[in-house]
Each structure stands twice: as C-alpha cells, then as structure tokens.
Amino acid sequence: MQRVYLDHAATTPLAPDVLEAMRPHLTEHYGNASSVHQYGRQARVTLEEARERVAECIGAQPSEIVFTSGGTEADNLAVKGVLAAASEDGALAGLVTSAAEHEAVLQPAERLQEEGHPVTILSPDAHGAVPPEQVDAAIDEHTALVSLMHANNEIGVRTDIPAIAEVCNANDVLLHCDAVQTAGLLSVDVDELGVDLLSLSAHKFYGPKGVGALFVRGGVDLGPLVEGGSQERERRGGTENVPGVVGLAEALERAVDDADERAERLSRLQRRLVDGLDDAVPGPYVLNTPVDDAPVAPHVVNVAFPPVGEEPLDGEMLILNLDMSGVLVSAGSACTSGALEPSHVLTAIGLERETASAAVRFSLGADTTEEDVDYALDTLHDTLDRMRE
Ligand code: PLP
C-alpha cells in the first residue's frame, strides 16, 4: 500500500548524511567533554565546533548558544530562566505570551502564574497571530519577557517577530521566540528578527531527536533549569550530548543551505493542497492556515470539518481512517494528539469545540511530491465520504 507521510511538523526522518556525521561520535570518539584527558579534550573540541556551526547558521556568537534536550527544554529554560533571573524578593517578574503558543511555553507560563508571577496570555487574532500593538498594550512595569512563536506548529501562521522586537526594545523588555517550526526552513537570523532568546530543535529539520538549542543574547541573565553541573556556562547542567549536537549542527547547516529552494517548493505544494480542498472535501470545511490572508510557514495546511446537521465528525477516527489508507497526518500538535480535548490553538482562533475536534494538519517535507499531495486529497475525499454516510 502507498504510504504518504505528511506529519513533518511533528518530526522529520534523520537524514543519512547527518547520521554519518554523528556516527564516529557515537562509537570511537566517546569521551566526556568535561574530562581533561585526550578523549575528553577531543570531545570538547567537537562540541565547541558544533556550537560555532549552529551560531553561524543563526547569526549568533558561539557563547550565545546553549545546547538542550530539544525544543521543550529550550522553551522552558527561556521562560523560567529569564523570569527567575529577573525576579527579586517581593517583586516577581512578569511574562506576556499568547494562547496559541506551544504547551512548552504555556505550561511553564501557567506554573509561573501559580507561583505569583504576573502572566498575561493574549488572545490571538482570527488568523492566530498576535499584532505588535496588542503586545505593546499588554506590557507593564512588571514585564520582563515576551514569548511568541515564529510560526505556529498547528496552523502555520507566522508572527511578525521583527515588529514585536521593536515594541519590546522600546519597552526595555526581552523577547523570546520559539522558532522550532521555522529553523532550517525560514531565516532565523537573530539580529534580523531582533530577538534576545530563540529556541530550535534538531528533529524538525532532519536531525536527531532529543537535542536542541536556546540562543541567549550576550548579557541576558538566565537562571539554570537543569542543575547538577557547570556545563554550558552554568546554564544547563549535564554531560553534553556530543553526537546529538554534531547532528544538530550538520542538519541545520544542510537545511539553511537549501532553505530558499525548499521553502519555494513547499509553498507550491501547499498551494496545490489548498487548491485541491474544494474538490476533495464533500461538504463544508474551514481552512485554518490563512494562506491568502496572512504570512504562513510553507509546510503546514490545517483544515477543520464543521458538523453537518446534528452529527459532529470524529476527528480522531478521521486520522485513524486516513492512516489505514496510508496517509499519515496529525490532529493538531503531536504532543496533544491522543488527548480528547480539542486543540487549544483552534479554539483560540475562535473555532467551535466540535469543529476544532475534527481538524487535520497536513505538514509537508523535503521528500513530499505532487503525487503525495494528490493521493492525500483523494484519500481525504474517500474517507470523508465514507464517514459522512
Ligand atoms: N515548540 C514548537 C512550536 C513545536 O512544534 C515543538 C514540537 O512539536 C516544540 C516546541 C517541542 O520541541 P521538542 O519536540 O524538541 O521538545
């Protein structure tokens, strides 16, 4: 049976060349980068080279890169780390973020709020973005950090990060950007974006799982999240994952090298998918990725199916039926699929619960072809027809 993987926003396969680059560091070069003997020194050199390579890809200094276990940890470190460092006894620092952020930002935000930090969670506009004026209005004397994502992982809508950076600068507030969905696909040059902190994760751009990085602009104070060692300039304890960071550096360099070409290809496929929905969907649908009305990432198309008559469509069943026909997609973010709650992003942009519960996210990747898109559309058509009968 044909199998079409359209879940690249959840994860991507490890590129064979990336695996080859990692292999020696998984086997013969196994030294601990903190050991003083030659094996350790060799690992340290490899680690610092990887740091330089990652820094170069995003326009940063090597000292501004903190390696983490992935995007979730990078987001946690940014949000909790900055607020911890900016708080003083009796004056807890505040955070401004949006209801459409990834849970890796939202859950720490909720925790910080429970601890007494002033936290403002903005409602995004109908497209899912947060306009700069809204951020400006939300910043007050307590705010230390604004955290907003570069592109949304569920619906692909992009935030105008440079404009928000201007607002943050004018208010003397730090800006963190979760660029997990865009790093390696769109430029995430930290100076062009104007951010103070930026998260990325290797497995979203054909690197290994379990490794990511947080850019922390020089001079930004950050409390550690993981304690127990002085690694990463005391910002992240734990033996460094040398093979992982080599994979991260290799994958990011490769992705950045052909980012423009890939983004163009993906945009064409995205357009083909969106244009095919009218024929593919028997009945009403809501396109949650505003391809014609707002800037979007080129790899995501999110579409929801409102109830017809009294009968809501079972979103989980839709995903499983598509899977059985060889089309692998997500219901929302991979981290929340399996939960019965409708996507917090889709409800934040105003979808009714029943419609939000019946949504599909197609996400395209480097190997996706026009035939894959057409097969997905045909399969969607047949599956919806069968389910609606
Ligand atoms: N942030 C965004 C926008 C994501 O899409 C994801 C993963 O789905 C994460 C953070 C978490 O990254 P990781 O899987 O590396 O922990």
Side-chain angles (χ1 to χ4, degrees):
M1 188 186 48
Q2 190 161 350
R3 239 182 229 107
V4 176
Y5 180 79
L6 293 179
D7 203 15
H8 295 85
T11 197
T12 57
L14 183 66
D17 289 340
V18 174
L19 174 61
E20 281 320 306
M22 294 170 68
R23 198 185 293 277
H25 307 285
L26 287 159
T27 51
E28 68 258 45
H29 303 316
Y30 55 81
N32 184 321
S34 298
S35 298
V36 289
H37 51 64
Q38 50 187 299
Y39 284 12
R41 291 200 305 274
Q42 191 179 38
R44 162 83 34 208
V45 169
T46 306
L47 176 71
E48 295 313 323
E49 277 172 5
R51 200 185 304 282
E52 281 168 26
R53 294 167 70 191
V54 170
E56 170 86 26
C57 287
I58 64 169
Q61 295 299 317
S63 58
E64 296 174 320
I65 302 296
V66 181
F67 289 124
T68 66
S69 66
T72 302
E73 188 188 319
D75 284 348
N76 269 262
L77 176 57
V79 171
K80 292 182 185 164
V82 167
L83 261 61
S87 297
E88 289 162 10
D89 281 349
L92 295 180
L95 169 73
V96 172
T97 185
S98 123
E101 292 304 299
H102 193 273
E103 292 290 354
V105 167
L106 283 177
Q107 284 187 18
E110 280 161 25
R111 165 95 48 202
L112 288 160
Q113 193 163 33
E114 281 162 19
E115 288 169 4
H117 290 266
V119 172
T120 305
I121 302 196
L122 302 171
S123 298
D125 65 19
H127 296 317
V130 176
E133 312 79 63
Q134 207 186 337
V135 178
D136 196 27
I139 292 173
D140 65 18
E141 73 276 17
H142 303 292
T143 312
L145 180 71
V146 170
S147 178
L148 291 169
M149 67 208 320
H150 196 199
N152 187 277
N153 51 303
E154 294 195 36
I155 56 176
V157 73
R158 287 169 60 179
T159 312
D160 187 350
I161 294 293
I164 287 173
E166 274 182 34
V167 166
C168 290
N169 259 337
N171 286 284
D172 208 10
V173 163
L174 298 174
L175 174 60
H176 165 245
C177 177
D178 175 337
V180 168
Q181 285 297 328
T182 51
L185 195 53
L186 305 174
S187 166
V188 293
D189 183 288
V190 291
D191 287 339
E192 280 170 20
L193 291 175
V195 295
D196 301 291
L197 302 110
L198 180 134
S199 306
L200 50 88
S201 175
H203 75 103
K204 306 289 184 179
F205 45 83
Y206 307 89
K209 292 173 179 58
V211 59
L214 180 67
F215 157 76
V216 185
R217 194 173 286 283
V220 169
D221 238 358
L222 195 76
L225 184 69
V226 181
E227 293 173 284
S230 58
Q231 291 91 346
E232 299 297 296
R233 295 168 182 251
E234 312 216 326
R235 292 172 295 189
R236 203 270 184 185
T239 299
E240 297 91 340
N241 175 5
V242 177
V245 302
V246 168
L248 167 63
E250 186 74 23
L252 188 57
E253 272 179 357
R254 286 170 180 276
V256 166
D257 273 353
D258 60 14
D260 289 350
E261 199 187 314
R262 186 179 301 166
E264 230 181 273
R265 247 195 83 246
L266 291 175
S267 289
R268 278 200 302 275
L269 293 171
Q270 181 185 50
R271 170 55 60 187
R272 189 180 184 92
L273 182 45
V274 169
D275 287 349
L277 286 172
D278 273 350
D279 283 339
V281 183
Y285 69 90
V286 183
L287 179 61
N288 297 314
T289 304
V291 279
D292 291 320
D293 303 314
V296 294
H299 64 309
V300 173
V301 175
N302 188 307
V303 54
F305 308 99
V308 176
E310 295 293 288
E311 261 322 289
L313 192 76
D314 183 334
E316 212 62 30
M317 197 49 87
L318 174 59
I319 304 293
L320 291 174
N321 283 333
L322 289 170
D323 182 28
M324 282 194 293
S325 303
V327 176
L328 285 65
V329 293
S330 264
S333 80
C335 320
T336 50
S337 65
L340 290 174
E341 281 296 296
S343 144
H344 70 279
V345 175
L346 298 182
T347 49
I349 60 171
L351 259 64
E352 299 290 336
R353 284 178 69 88
E354 285 180 340
T355 306
S357 300
V360 172
R361 177 189 67 183
F362 299 92
S363 51
L364 317 166
D367 298 333
T368 309
T369 62
E370 291 185 351
E371 291 70 38
D372 292 340
V373 169
D374 296 347
Y375 182 75
L377 286 165
D378 286 347
T379 308
L380 179 66
H381 179 271
D382 295 348
T383 309
L384 285 171
D385 245 2
R386 248 186 298 126
M387 288 181 71
R388 287 241 146 106
E389 253 165 30

